[in-house]
């Protein structure tokens, strides 16, 4: 399995305010002065809620997704004006609000927002994505447990369980993993040691960052919602 990389230079976190998501500007004259460069935030959004298929995601009054935002889908990093932003999930193609909450983003930082299941409603898990250079010959990996009915889970990378165990809605820090020709990832129930999902022949690239997360439900008969190991686009 080869993981598609996504390139987003830190230099792009400084740009003219006119091209930032969630910022509305009203022009009151014919002359537009050159806008001052501002430092912004970057946000990627992932639909990790099994029951939330075909949703629309809004920041402020602006819809972020250009196509159906289905379970397991990811919206690439977007430039977002820092500060408090209203983040809203609506039923796909409709005006019905499913979940809404203000989120705070700081300038110059990268974030991942996961739409998750929270009892009978939805919720958000937001991680700050800290990209410091991996060790020579290594990639950096982290794991997030986003399976709403699963217990504490451990992601095993080539037999190594160190620092990759988390309960629901929690993320590990990034960890250096020495890059090999291919890797095998196994998701285990921490309490019983039983395997719950496997991902084989994973190709990692030195110098890249990878987020793997537990997607889906442990107890379901719906094939497209069964628990699996999901990878975000590599950075």
């Amino acid at each position: 399995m080869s993981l598609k990389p996504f390139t987003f230079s830190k230099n792009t976190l400084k740009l003219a305010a006119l091209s930032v998501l969630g910022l509305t500007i009203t022009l009151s004259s014919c002359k537009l002065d050159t806008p001052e460069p501002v430092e912004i935030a970057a946000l990627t959004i992932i639909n990790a809620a099994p029951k939330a298929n075909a949703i629309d995601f809004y920041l402020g009054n602006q819809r972020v997704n250009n196509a159906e935002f289905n379970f397991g889908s990811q919206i690439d990093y977007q430039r977002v004006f820092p500060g408090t932003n209203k983040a809203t999930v609506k039923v796909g193609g409709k005006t019905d609000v499913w979940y809404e909450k203000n989120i705070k983003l700081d300038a110059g930082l990268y974030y991942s927002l996961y739409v998750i299941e929270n009892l009978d409603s939805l919720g958000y898990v937001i991680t700050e994505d800290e990209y410091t250079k991996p060790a020579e010959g290594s990639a950096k990996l982290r794991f997030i447990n986003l399976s709403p009915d699963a217990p504490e889970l451990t992601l095993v990378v080539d037999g190594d369980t160190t620092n990759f165990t988390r309960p629901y809605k929690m993320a590990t820090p990034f960890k250096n993993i020495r890059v090999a020709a291919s890797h095998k990832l196994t998701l285990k129930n921490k309490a019983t040691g039983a395997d719950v999902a496997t991902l084989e022949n994973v190709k990692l690239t030195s110098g890249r960052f990878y987020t793997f997360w537990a997607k889906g439900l442990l107890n379901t008969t719906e094939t497209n919602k069964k628990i699996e190991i999901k990878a975000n686009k590599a950075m």
Side-chain angles (χ1 to χ4, degrees):
M1 176 188 178
S2 182
L3 302 176
K4 182 180 178 182
F6 175 72
T7 302
F8 195 99
S9 168
K10 285 198 173 183
N11 291 332
T12 61
L13 290 184
K14 288 186 177 181
L15 79 170
L18 289 177
S19 59
V20 181
L21 259 181
L23 184 65
T24 302
I25 295 178
T26 301
L27 304 180
S28 57
S29 69
C30 295
K31 181 180 178 181
L32 177 64
D33 293 332
T34 302
E36 290 292 327
V38 295
E39 193 170 29
I40 59 169
L43 179 71
T44 181
I45 305 104
I46 301 95
N47 182 352
K51 66 182 176 185
N53 210 33
I55 61 174
D56 289 328
F57 187 87
Y58 285 76
L59 280 177
N61 296 318
Q62 185 172 352
R63 192 179 78 169
V64 181
N65 55 298
N66 295 319
E68 282 191 353
F69 190 27
N70 296 319
F71 173 48
S73 298
Q74 178 179 2
I75 299 171
D76 289 342
Y77 277 103
Q78 305 289 309
R79 303 173 182 90
V80 181
F81 201 69
T84 299
N85 293 268
K86 182 174 67 175
T88 305
V89 175
K90 295 184 180 181
V91 178
K94 299 183 179 180
T95 59
D96 307 58
V97 174
W98 200 339
Y99 183 75
E100 188 172 79
K101 183 180 180 180
N102 286 334
I103 61 173
K104 186 177 183 299
L105 306 176
D106 292 332
L109 297 180
Y110 289 79
Y111 296 90
S112 295
L113 183 150
Y114 297 83
V115 180
I116 63 160
E117 287 193 13
N118 191 11
L119 297 177
D120 293 330
S121 184
L122 299 179
Y124 299 144
V125 167
I126 301 176
T127 63
E128 183 179 316
D129 303 335
E130 184 266 328
Y131 295 118
T132 56
K133 186 177 179 180
E136 188 69 26
S138 298
K140 278 192 171 181
L141 272 66
R142 70 175 172 185
F143 168 64
I144 309 177
N145 182 354
L146 295 176
S147 175
D149 69 340
E152 197 166 10
L153 297 174
T154 297
L155 181 70
V156 181
V157 182
D158 299 327
D160 181 9
T161 63
T162 309
N163 295 330
F164 285 130
T165 299
R166 283 297 183 270
Y168 181 50
K169 299 192 290 188
M170 299 300 292
T172 71
F174 281 103
K175 178 188 176 183
N176 283 300
I177 297 293
R178 190 75 179 173
V179 172
S182 66
H183 300 267
K184 179 181 178 180
L185 308 184
T186 306
L187 200 57
K188 289 181 175 287
N189 181 321
K190 183 191 176 186
T192 66
D195 293 355
V196 297
T198 302
L199 192 61
E200 297 188 356
N201 298 316
V202 176
K203 308 294 184 183
L204 303 179
T205 301
S206 176
R208 292 283 188 178
F209 298 80
Y210 298 86
T211 296
F212 293 95
W213 51 282
K215 170 183 177 278
L217 300 167
L218 192 61
N219 302 295
T220 183
T221 58
E222 297 181 65
T223 302
N224 64 335
K225 293 185 179 180
K226 286 184 178 179
I227 193 167
E228 61 178 308
I229 302 169
K230 179 73 174 179
N232 288 349
K233 291 182 181 178
M235 281 290 290

